[in-house]
């Protein structure tokens, strides 16, 4: 049987190649991709966050863990099952300006994709004008903004303002998320929705369109 704790420990230790091997092995042993994600990788990243906060882990080590996480997610991506196959709608997603955190954003992107959304992932450090241009180009129904820093949350408001200034706000629903973001904050800045994690982001996106 797969030892999920071992996977968490390998992630926390930032051993990317080992983690890939262990994730692949877990899959080969029949462990569900969602179980690997929810019971090993996400709790592992939580520990990384706590240690970073307590000063027990430093940026280079956190980066190693983050890279290991991204590598593992690449393996899990095709396996996180599709609930529905037809396109549920088009979503543009990105991490706001000044913010380089992308693990959570990529997870949300992956979950939406696996649930049938067409997702255009703009990447990190996306300025309000970047979102505006992308909306003009791709005509999505939803714009999803991610921020992990209290200092970059303000960029969410700026992005919504930029969409308004360009006359685009009425044609899209904006959803926001990331560790420091709250439902209350989402309301204050005029976003249509907030979700605390990737699973509920999927439900939120569906509820906004149907
Ligand atoms: C990994 C990490 C890094 C990595 C990022 C690598 C990468 N490729 O992403 C590196 C080392 C680069 C990094 C850098 C920094 N980091 Co950092 N980092 C983290 C850490 C440990 C984990 C974040 C993570 O990936 N979590 C796992 C994912 C799965 O969770 P998530 O991101 O929250 O996403 C979920 C939900 O929030 C939600 N969600 C996310 N986005 C969206 C979007 C939508 C639309 C929706 C609906 C939902 C949603 O769904 C996701 C999946 O369930 C956090 C600690 C923490 N507790 O969050 C600190 C943390 C975010 N970092 C922090 C800091 C301070 C920094 C630095 C400023 C450090 C420095 N001095 O240089 C820099 C900033 C760099 C920059 N300009 O962005 C602080 C932020 C404090 C604050 N409140 O502002 C934190 C909280 C750590 C701490 N406690 O001090 N970091």
């Amino acid at each position: 049987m797969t030892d999920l704790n071992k996977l968490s420990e390998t992630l926390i230790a930032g051993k990317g190649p080992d983690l890939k091997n262990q994730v692949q092995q877990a899959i080969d042993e029949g462990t569900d991709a969602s179980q690997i994600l929810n019971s090993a990788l996400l709790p592992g990243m939580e520990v990384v966050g706590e240690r970073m906060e307590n000063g027990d882990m430093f940026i280079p080590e956190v980066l190693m863990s983050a890279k290991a996480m991204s590598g593992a997610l690449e393996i899990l991506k095709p396996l996180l099952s599709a609930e529905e196959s037809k396109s549920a709608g088009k979503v543009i997603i990105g991490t706001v300006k000044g913010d380089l955190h992308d693990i959570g954003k990529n997870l949300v992107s992956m979950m939406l994709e696996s649930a049938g959304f067409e997702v255009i992932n703009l990447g990190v450090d996306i300025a309000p004008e970047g979102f505006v241009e992308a909306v003009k180009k791709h005509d999505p129904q939803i714009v999803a903004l991610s921020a992990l820093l209290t200092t970059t949350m303000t960029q969410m408001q700026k992005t919504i303002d930029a969409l308004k200034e360009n006359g685009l706000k009425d044609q899209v629903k904006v959803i926001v998320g990331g560790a420091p973001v709250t439902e209350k904050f989402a309301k204050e800045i005029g976003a249509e929705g907030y979700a605390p994690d990737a699973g509920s982001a999927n439900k939120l996106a569906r509820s906004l369109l149907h």
Side-chain angles (χ1 to χ4, degrees), residues 83 112 115 117 195 197-210:
E83 279 169 21
L112 291 175
F117 285 93
D197 55 53
S200 40
N202 180 16
K203 280 192 205 133
L204 171 68
R206 284 183 173 275
S207 72
L208 285 173
L209 296 187
H210 302 288

Side-chain angles (χ1 to χ4, degrees), residues 42 45-46 48-50 52-54 58-60 62-63 65-67 69-70 93-94 98-108 124 143-152 156 175-180 193-202 204:
L42 289 179
M45 278 315 286
E46 229 165 86
V48 171
E50 282 161 15
M52 186 180 177
E53 210 165 327
N54 299 334
F58 299 101
I59 304 294
V62 176
L63 204 48
S65 295
K67 277 196 184 140
M69 176 82 173
S70 300
I93 189 165
D99 200 320
L100 303 175
H101 295 84
D102 68 357
I103 296 174
K105 183 247 322 157
N106 288 343
L107 208 48
V108 172
V124 297
V143 175
L145 307 176
S146 181
L148 265 284
L149 299 170
T150 38
T151 48
T152 58
M156 291 178 153
I175 64 172
V176 293
Y194 157 80
D197 55 53
S200 40
N202 180 16
L204 171 68

Side-chain angles (χ1 to χ4, degrees), residues 30-56:
T31 313
D32 282 349
S34 58
Q35 201 187 351
I36 297 173
L37 179 65
N38 293 321
S39 305
L41 302 182
L42 289 179
M45 278 315 286
E46 229 165 86
V47 173
V48 171
E50 282 161 15
R51 291 194 183 168
M52 186 180 177
E53 210 165 327
N54 299 334
D56 295 331

Side-chain angles (χ1 to χ4, degrees), residues 1 8 22 30 33 48 56 72 103 106 130 135 147 164 174 185 188 193 197 205 207:
M1 230 195 60
S8 293
Q22 287 170 14
V48 171
D56 295 331
I103 296 174
N106 288 343
V135 169
K164 282 185 186 153
V174 175
F185 176 76
E188 276 166 16
D197 55 53
S207 72

